[in-house]
Amino acid sequence: MPPSLNLPFVLSVAGAFLKSSVVAIIYVWPFVRAMPRHDALRLLAAFHAFRFLGMNFMVAGFVSSELSAEFAGEVAWGDLIAATLALVSMAALSWRWSIAVPTVWIFNVWGTLDLLNAYYMGVTKIQNPGLFGAGIYIPALYVPLLLVSHVLVFLILLRPGSDRQTA
């Protein structure tokens, strides 16, 4: 096991992924699967509108002053862009714009890649998750929830015949 691997943190993240997946499979997926496509996508996008929380990685005192400014900035701005794309997706879906579904695709691909990049950067550049300070809950709890919801969005977007379910 690499010396920089923080086993309690890794187990916390793994546990959050497991629990998020179980809750999504048992409770969320049956609910959103039965909804009209635009409504289900709008509901899931709404959850991502709160991704502005990643901006806290640039707040002095919220994270350690030793946390890489490059990491903090990339996480923060990536999340803000994802939150903005989620809001635009919600508007496009609400108003039934012709670009609604392509907008959701852009939001979902960006949001997923942004979160995976943040995890990759965290694993390769941040040796001590304690540097996240109060922000430790973001990668340990919030990111697993977000990634699982991105999977649900992909499932809805890729579901056969979902174009007919827009009422």
Side-chain angles (χ1 to χ4, degrees):
M1 180 166 15
S4 64
L5 181 68
N6 186 307
L7 187 58
F9 179 69
V10 170
L11 291 174
S12 175
V13 171
F17 270 111
L18 176 64
K19 280 118 183 124
S20 298
S21 298
V22 168
V23 168
I25 290 166
I26 294 173
Y27 298 106
V28 180
W29 179 243
F31 179 72
V32 297
R33 181 181 59 204
M35 295 175 75
R37 183 182 200 201
H38 278 61
D39 295 340
L41 292 171
R42 188 177 58 221
L43 177 65
L44 292 168
F47 183 55
H48 291 266
F50 293 92
R51 282 185 60 179
F52 62 84
L53 292 173
M55 294 299 289
N56 287 323
F57 276 102
M58 294 177 21
V59 175
F62 188 79
V63 296
S64 171
S65 60
E66 297 174 30
L67 184 66
S68 161
E70 176 190 359
F71 172 82
E74 194 164 330
V75 167
W77 292 110
D79 276 357
L80 186 62
I81 292 168
T84 302
L85 289 170
L87 289 170
V88 170
S89 295
M90 291 169 60
L93 291 161
S94 294
W95 295 320
R96 302 285 199 239
W97 294 344
S98 61
I99 61 165
V101 172
T103 302
V104 174
W105 272 103
I106 292 167
F107 145 68
N108 210 47
V109 169
W110 172 272
T112 301
L113 292 176
D114 174 60
L115 294 174
L116 294 175
N117 178 59
Y119 266 144
Y120 173 77
M121 285 183 48
V123 167
T124 60
K125 296 184 180 188
I126 308 301
Q127 299 300 315
N128 177 7
L131 296 175
F132 296 144
I136 194 78
Y137 73 91
I138 293 175
L141 174 64
Y142 192 43
V143 171
L145 289 166
L146 291 169
L147 281 171
V148 168
S149 70
H150 274 302
V151 170
L152 296 180
V153 172
F154 280 125
L155 289 173
I156 292 168
L157 288 169
L158 294 171
R159 192 170 57 195
S162 59
D163 284 334
R164 291 188 301 267
Q165 196 178 39
T166 59

